[in-house]
Amino acid sequence: MLKLIPAVLAAALAASLIPAAHADDVASSRAGGPIRNVVLVHGAFADGAGWRPVYDDLTARGYRVSIVQNPLTSLADDVQATRRVLDRQDGPAILVGHSWGGTVITEAGVHDKVAGLVYVSALAPDAGETTAQQYEGFAPTPEFVIETGSDGYGFISPAKFKAGFAHDTTDADAAFLRDSQVPINMSVFGTRLTQAAWRTKPNWAVIATEDKAFDQAMLIHMAERIQARITKVSASHAVFMTQPKVVADTIEQAARQAGRPAK
């Protein structure tokens, strides 16, 4: 019996250290240490599973990563889905959005746990603007073809999917993305934002230079308007799958810089 006591005490000590270490990590973030929480928000057509390569990279670096599953039914619904995940964070977080997800993080990013924003080939409207307005004055994107059904929900044309969304993936990956599309209620693009988190939160942008979903000038204009720290990478709209290290590096940069104490 006496021989069991050291083993029991060791197990109890190990168990007690886990939450203590976790608490110290959270306290470090709040005191100006590197931020450890990352929340990823997908855009239209591809759901949160597309973030897997970025998730794997960041978790291997020690980040705690959560992925929002947007219903894509309305801006309000997607923002609420994002807020639910933010509410569950145990400290400050970097909020990341791809494509339509940029509109979502712009509205949801005023949440008090958001320390910084990362726009990954993403939209960045201002308060009072609609997402559709961001396209005005820029070149059309003939390879990115959306087919809208009678119910108002849109899919990317199957025949144009790889060329328009993921030309730098394998045929197999592009086919899976094409066949697992999540349609978006096209009316969301006409919804006016009430918040613009980028006006009060530091922000970064990854611009895929071969993105066929947006005119390059449009992506650059939006990133420069919000005064984002910009990283450009040769990639398609599916940059989150094809260049995960570049995306993860930018998120890590945001986590380190946003976690610094104000001077």
Side-chain angles (χ1 to χ4, degrees):
M1 178 66 71
L2 291 176
K3 292 181 179 179
L4 292 175
I5 292 176
V8 172
L9 288 174
L13 180 59
S16 67
L17 287 175
I18 291 172
H22 181 67
D24 288 345
D25 194 26
V26 174
S28 174
S29 288
R30 288 174 176 160
I35 293 165
R36 307 311 300 170
N37 297 320
V38 177
V39 175
L40 305 174
V41 182
H42 67 82
F45 314 114
D47 71 4
W51 284 115
R52 182 63 186 267
V54 175
Y55 172 93
D56 287 345
D57 190 317
L58 289 172
T59 55
R61 302 185 196 200
Y63 289 92
R64 294 186 290 271
V65 184
S66 301
I67 300 175
V68 176
Q69 291 288 10
N70 284 326
L72 303 180
T73 48
S74 71
L75 175 59
D77 289 346
D78 289 357
V79 168
Q80 188 56 48
T82 302
R83 286 174 177 159
R84 287 191 194 101
V85 175
L86 289 170
D87 287 342
R88 294 173 59 83
Q89 303 305 302
D90 57 14
I94 299 300
L95 184 60
V96 184
H98 171 253
S99 194
W100 160 252
T103 294
V104 178
I105 70 170
T106 297
E107 183 83 8
V110 294
H111 193 288
D112 59 8
K113 288 185 179 176
V114 175
L117 306 164
V118 178
Y119 290 82
V120 180
S121 262
L123 294 147
D126 200 355
E129 294 180 349
T130 69
T131 301
Q133 283 179 281
Q134 309 315 300
Y135 295 83
E136 294 175 359
F138 295 101
T141 52
E143 293 178 279
F144 193 82
V145 179
I146 299 174
E147 298 175 342
T148 304
S150 59
D151 63 353
Y153 280 77
F155 290 87
I156 298 175
S157 166
K160 291 283 190 177
F161 189 91
K162 184 173 183 181
F165 194 97
H167 68 80
D168 54 348
T169 62
T170 64
D171 287 345
D173 284 344
F176 182 81
L177 286 171
R178 178 196 67 209
D179 296 338
S180 62
Q181 287 188 67
V182 183
I184 188 168
N185 184 341
M186 297 298 289
S187 69
V188 302
F189 296 101
T191 304
R192 293 190 183 279
L193 278 71
T194 63
Q195 307 285 343
W198 51 261
R199 286 194 169 275
T200 57
K201 306 287 175 82
N203 57 87
W204 289 256
V206 177
I207 293 178
T209 59
E210 297 174 36
D211 196 327
K212 304 300 183 182
F214 302 113
D215 178 7
Q216 278 293 300
M218 175 182 166
L219 284 172
I220 293 168
H221 167 77
M222 289 187 294
E224 289 180 344
R225 183 175 75 153
I226 68 176
Q227 298 183 329
R229 300 156 181 83
I230 298 171
T231 297
K232 295 182 180 180
V233 61
S234 177
S236 69
H237 194 56
V239 58
F240 52 90
M241 288 184 63
T242 61
Q243 292 287 348
K245 184 180 184 300
V246 174
V247 175
D249 284 347
T250 302
I251 294 169
E252 181 161 61
Q253 180 186 29
R256 291 181 180 278
Q257 294 182 3
R260 292 175 182 169
K263 294 182 180 180

